[in-house]
Amino acid sequence: AQSVTQLDSHVSVSEGTPVLLRCNYSSSYSPSLFWYVQHPNKGLQLLLKYTSAATLVKGINGFEAEFKKSETSFHLTKPSAHMSDAAEYFCVVRGGSQGNLIFGKGTKLSVKP
Amino acid sequence: EAGVTQSPTHLIKTRGQQATLRCSPISGHTSVYWYQQALGLGLQFLLWYDEGEERNRGNFPPRFSGRQFPNYSSELNVNALELEDSALYLCASSSSDYTSSYNEQFFGPGTRLTVL
């Protein structure tokens, strides 16, 4: 069965400093992995997705994630945080042919001025 | 291009009543998914419809049901409402090739259901 574990429930950074949101996955086969962001009182927006074409995936708003099979990790990074990045981030794995997405518990990112 | 739309935005019901939530997918998408985001429980998969058929359901009781119409819009019905059904219900849509693991799901803004 597929699952994801987000290692931090809350991350706080200062504006202009790097962001690292950690995610480990468990899958019996090559997983389909995604990062979604949810701003307060808004729906979910896809940041990026791993499609097995490349291990380093670039997403929107300067975010990227690296798929590391040996570490079963898919951490999300951004070189320089912006105030508008404050939101909740979800690491997600697709439930195989079952269609549904399996969400991590989320990491709330706070950005201090 | 219009995104996924959901109605109503907010819904207030009392225990024991029925709630009906609606979702319109992105044009061209035939798969619709429903998720529940309850406080403390995170985002959980409810139902998946594709081409009018229920393809999969999550670990929810039968009083959570739904359907997909010929125009691919969908309805989620929750019968015999309980206080713990209070949550944000999110609808997502994707293209029809559900055998592809990489089809992303596009989410609507959600319906906030409050059960009193």
Side-chain angles (χ1 to χ4, degrees):
Chain A
Q2 289 79 12
S3 67
V4 287
T5 302
Q6 292 185 244
L7 300 174
D8 307 290
S9 59
H10 190 198
V11 170
S12 182
V13 300
S14 297
E15 192 174 21
T17 64
V19 175
L20 170 63
L21 305 182
R22 300 180 296 165
C23 173
N24 286 348
Y25 71 89
S26 174
S27 177
S28 53
Y29 48 83
S30 183
S32 302
L33 292 162
F34 309 81
W35 275 98
Y36 280 84
V37 61
Q38 186 176 35
H39 287 93
N41 300 314
K42 295 284 181 68
L44 291 158
Q45 181 184 21
L46 180 69
L47 278 177
L48 50 82
K49 62 181 178 181
Y50 168 67
T51 63
S52 78
T55 56
L56 184 62
V57 183
K58 293 189 184 299
I60 61 171
N61 301 334
F63 284 95
E64 62 181 39
E66 187 171 6
F67 175 75
K68 291 188 177 180
K69 187 175 179 180
S70 60
E71 299 176 10
T72 61
S73 68
F74 189 58
H75 301 337
L76 182 70
T77 60
K78 182 173 181 178
S80 176
H82 191 272
M83 295 297 291
S84 61
D85 294 328
E88 189 151 24
Y89 293 78
F90 293 93
C91 182
V92 182
V93 64
R94 185 182 166 110
S97 61
Q98 297 169 11
N100 57 292
L101 299 179
I102 300 165
F103 287 79
K105 294 191 180 299
T107 297
K108 187 174 181 181
L109 175 66
S110 299
V111 182
K112 298 174 289 187
Chain B
E1 180 183 303
V4 177
T5 58
Q6 293 185 245
S7 63
T9 305
H10 293 91
L11 189 57
I12 299 175
K13 295 285 186 178
T14 56
R15 225 167 30 165
Q17 285 188 314
Q18 179 194 32
T20 298
L21 289 64
R22 296 179 178 85
C23 172
S24 292
I26 289 171
S27 177
H29 285 181
T30 62
S31 275
V32 171
Y33 308 80
W34 289 94
Y35 295 86
Q36 182 197 64
Q37 187 173 25
L39 201 62
L41 295 178
L43 271 151
Q44 297 183 82
F45 166 70
L46 262 168
L47 289 159
W48 171 28
Y49 291 95
D50 183 72
E51 297 284 357
E53 301 283 333
E54 182 181 301
R55 299 294 185 185
N56 194 19
R57 66 179 291 132
N59 189 24
F60 282 85
R63 58 190 185 83
F64 287 84
S65 65
R67 54 180 172 166
Q68 187 177 33
F69 299 99
N71 67 352
Y72 304 114
S73 67
S74 177
E75 200 172 82
L76 173 69
N77 294 294
V78 188
N79 294 319
L81 283 165
E82 300 178 2
L83 295 177
E84 51 265 35
D85 296 333
S86 294
L88 181 68
Y89 289 84
L90 293 167
C91 171
S93 74
S94 73
S95 55
S96 64
D97 186 7
Y98 62 85
T99 57
S100 169
S101 298
Y102 307 126
N103 283 343
E104 64 183 270
Q105 294 182 15
F106 295 83
F107 284 81
T111 292
R112 174 77 61 188
L113 173 63
T114 302
V115 182
L116 302 175

